[in-house]
């Protein structure tokens, strides 16, 4: 499909302190869940080596993610190592924000450029049900402030919207962040992994989210800010900032997908919905030289034909609420279970 490789997402851990039911439902990710053993995690040196090799193939942007990336001790050191790679001009972090406040300025000093904080509601109770936690909401808000003050601006805020859980908070979230330095982005709930029990009728289509906001504050479309941008951008006509919507379910963007993902144990994935990754750790630890690793990555990337979201929308009409949605969701469920897709907390969002 001629898609260049431009972005690398690096998952630094598959562990997390929250249990958002749409990502790591507690029934599945309980006390006996087998996370990746520490000895299996790529070291910072190994991650940096892969990043250096891949930057020579055209990658300019790196995003650190997880699991919760701030649970990985000494993450600032990794940021500093990545910032030292020629050709990498943008390093970002996606975090749930609960541990961000005390770390924001050292991350910025180490060379972090941007932060995205996931926040699904401002009401304690809704926040708690979206994250299945006892509510460090105030800490997340402190984290956002600390990131802005550390110069990691504009901080992006990711809100996953689930029908019947937090969809009534769309307008209040927009109201809170309008006129502030942060850029709020609404994400359609996706069928990543096998464990979240996703159903199409739980997805709030981007069009519906935009319509709810536009009713209060007129919007105008903005151009994409860079190649491979996944969010469509909208400005408030009154000049009070912008929002984004990530419509991977209702308007898939596989044609422009320029992003590879490296799992915490060193598997390279070319799609968020992949069934299997390609083991780079064996090469890294087995004495592979840089050019062998580079040609393996090149081989993996050029052979990719992934377009899961496009295929999903061919399989089932993306209009939640349509007659027949139940049947379509049931067959998608069966397809997922047969496929054994990787979990979001493992591959990184
Ligand atoms: N723990 C960090 C966080 O929550 O920001 C980083 C990892 S998390 C997997 C990355 C992003 O994926 C978050 O913004 C999260 O809301 C999003 N996400 C997780 N599961 C999702 C799903 N099923 N559909 C859409 N977005 C999802
Ligand atoms: Fe943890 Fe992020 Fe997944 Fe929530 S979305 S469970 S914070 S990894
Ligand atoms: Fe890329 Fe896969 Fe998402 Fe399509 S479904 S945009 S190929 S990650």
């Amino acid at each position: 499909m001629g898609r260049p490789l431009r972005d690398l997402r690096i998952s630094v851990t598959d562990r997390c302190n929250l249990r958002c039911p749409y990502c790591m439902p507690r029934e599945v990710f309980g006390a006996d869940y087998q996370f990746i053993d520490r000895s299996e995690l790529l070291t910072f040196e190994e991650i940096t080596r892969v990043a250096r090799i891949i930057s020579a193939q055209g990658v300019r942007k790196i995003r650190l993610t997880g699991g919760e990336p701030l649970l990985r001790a000494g993450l600032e050191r990794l940021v500093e190592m990545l910032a030292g790679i020629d050709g990498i001009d943008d390093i970002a972090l996606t975090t749930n924000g609960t541990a961000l406040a005390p770390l924001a300025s050292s991350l910025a000093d180490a060379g972090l450029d941007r932060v995205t904080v996931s926040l699904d509601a401002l009401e304690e109770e809704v926040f708690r049900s979206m994250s299945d936690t006892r509510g460090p909401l105030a800490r997340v808000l402190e984290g956002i402030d600390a990131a802005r003050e550390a110069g990691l601006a504009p901080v992006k805020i990711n809100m996953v919207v689930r029908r019947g859980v937090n969809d009534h908070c769309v307008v209040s979230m927009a109201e809170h962040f309008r006129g502030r330095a942060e850029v709020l982005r609404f994400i359609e709930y996706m069928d990543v992994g096998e464990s979240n029990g996703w159903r199409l009728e739980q997805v709030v289509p981007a069009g519906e989210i935009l319509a709810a906001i536009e009713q209060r504050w007129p919007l105008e479309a903005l151009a994409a800010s860079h190649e491979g941008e996944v969010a469509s951008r909208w400005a408030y006509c009154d000049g009070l900032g912008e929002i984004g919507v990530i419509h991977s379910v209702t308007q898939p963007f596989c044609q422009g997908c320029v992003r590879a993902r490296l799992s915490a144990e060193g598997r390279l994935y070319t799609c968020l919905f992949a069934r299997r990754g390609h083991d780079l750790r064996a090469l890294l630890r087995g004495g592979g030289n840089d050019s062998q690793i580079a040609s393996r990555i090149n081989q993996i990337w050029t052979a990719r034909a992934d377009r899961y979201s496009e295929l999903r929308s061919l399989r089932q009409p993306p209009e939640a609420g349509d007659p027949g949605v139940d049947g379509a969701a049931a067959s998608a469920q069966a397809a997922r279970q047969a496929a054994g897709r990787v979990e979001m907390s493992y591959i990184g969002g």
Side-chain angles (χ1 to χ4, degrees):
M1 291 164 79
R3 297 169 291 190
L5 172 54
R6 291 284 176 264
D7 297 1
L8 178 65
R9 294 207 157 195
I10 301 173
S11 170
V12 293
T13 177
D14 60 339
R15 290 163 200 258
C16 187
N17 55 329
L18 304 187
R19 285 293 178 274
C20 309
Y22 56 80
C23 176
M24 297 181 80
R26 207 173 277 280
E27 317 81 80
V28 177
F29 294 87
D32 52 358
Y33 185 82
Q34 292 287 305
F35 290 100
I36 303 171
D37 191 82
R38 284 175 205 281
S39 64
E40 309 282 310
L41 294 177
L42 290 191
T43 62
F44 288 168
E45 287 70 20
E46 288 168 334
I47 292 173
T48 306
R49 185 171 171 213
V50 174
R52 191 176 349 94
I53 293 169
I54 218 166
S55 75
Q57 306 191 351
V59 165
R60 297 286 162 265
K61 296 167 60 156
I62 287 180
R63 179 170 293 273
L64 299 175
T65 178
E68 174 45 43
L70 295 181
L71 293 186
R72 181 90 186 245
L75 196 72
E76 310 88 294
R77 191 166 72 83
L78 176 62
V79 170
E80 196 169 0
M81 291 162 75
L82 295 172
I85 298 174
D86 276 345
I88 297 299
D89 50 30
D90 185 48
I91 303 177
L93 170 78
T94 303
T95 171
N96 63 32
T98 53
L100 182 58
L103 292 171
S105 71
S106 52
L107 286 165
D109 291 346
L112 189 70
D113 296 294
R114 296 181 300 119
V115 174
T116 299
V117 177
S118 303
L119 175 63
D120 299 327
L122 291 160
E123 290 81 355
E124 267 312 327
E125 213 170 294
V126 186
F127 173 80
R128 261 184 256 137
S129 61
M130 285 298 285
S131 55
D132 193 5
T133 178
R134 274 187 215 95
L137 173 60
R139 268 196 283 145
V140 179
L141 298 174
E142 280 162 30
I144 294 170
D145 290 343
R148 186 184 57 248
E149 282 155 23
L152 298 167
V155 177
K156 288 185 183 152
I157 309 295
N158 274 0
M159 172 183 182
V160 174
V161 185
R162 292 187 70 190
R163 190 173 303 284
V165 187
N166 68 338
D167 53 336
H168 61 291
C169 302
V170 162
V171 172
S172 57
M173 282 283 281
E175 183 157 39
H176 179 84
F177 288 107
R178 250 170 65 81
R180 295 172 52 117
E182 287 74 51
V183 175
L184 176 60
R185 299 167 351 140
F186 300 95
I187 305 182
E188 288 179 345
Y189 175 35
M190 290 186 283
D191 49 337
V192 189
E194 303 283 334
S195 64
N196 64 10
W198 181 90
R199 289 164 60 89
L200 185 60
E201 64 262 35
Q202 297 167 333
V203 178
V204 181
E208 192 178 319
I209 295 170
L210 284 170
I213 295 174
E214 182 132 44
Q215 238 183 5
R216 279 283 292 278
W217 305 286
L219 296 167
E220 59 190 357
L222 292 173
S225 60
H226 57 83
E227 181 185 15
E229 168 127 76
V230 295
S232 67
R233 300 169 57 217
W234 299 81
Y236 291 112
C237 294
D238 61 9
L240 285 187
E242 70 173 80
I243 56 169
V245 284
I246 301 177
H247 39 61
S248 29
V249 178
T250 60
Q251 295 167 59
F253 35 76
C254 301
Q255 300 294 328
C257 180
V258 295
R259 179 174 293 172
R261 294 176 157 89
L262 182 67
S263 78
E265 57 181 344
R267 292 183 170 273
L268 192 70
Y269 288 81
T270 55
C271 179
L272 190 52
F273 298 89
R275 278 174 263 176
R276 66 182 196 95
H278 304 268
D279 185 11
L280 296 184
R281 195 186 58 197
L283 263 179
L284 288 165
R285 294 191 181 170
N289 63 32
D290 286 4
S291 84
Q292 285 168 323
I293 296 170
S295 68
R296 180 76 187 111
I297 293 171
N298 189 44
Q299 187 188 37
I300 294 165
W301 186 262
T302 50
R304 79 185 279 242
D306 333 84
R307 53 187 198 107
Y308 176 89
S309 293
E310 276 187 4
L311 295 176
R312 180 212 298 113
S313 63
L314 295 176
R315 265 202 318 270
Q316 50 187 231
E319 292 303 321
D322 270 358
V325 155
D326 275 344
S331 62
Q333 181 95 23
R336 263 199 324 283
Q337 276 159 4
R341 290 202 320 257
V342 69
E343 293 296 327
M344 186 73 132
S345 55
Y346 171 89
I347 198 175

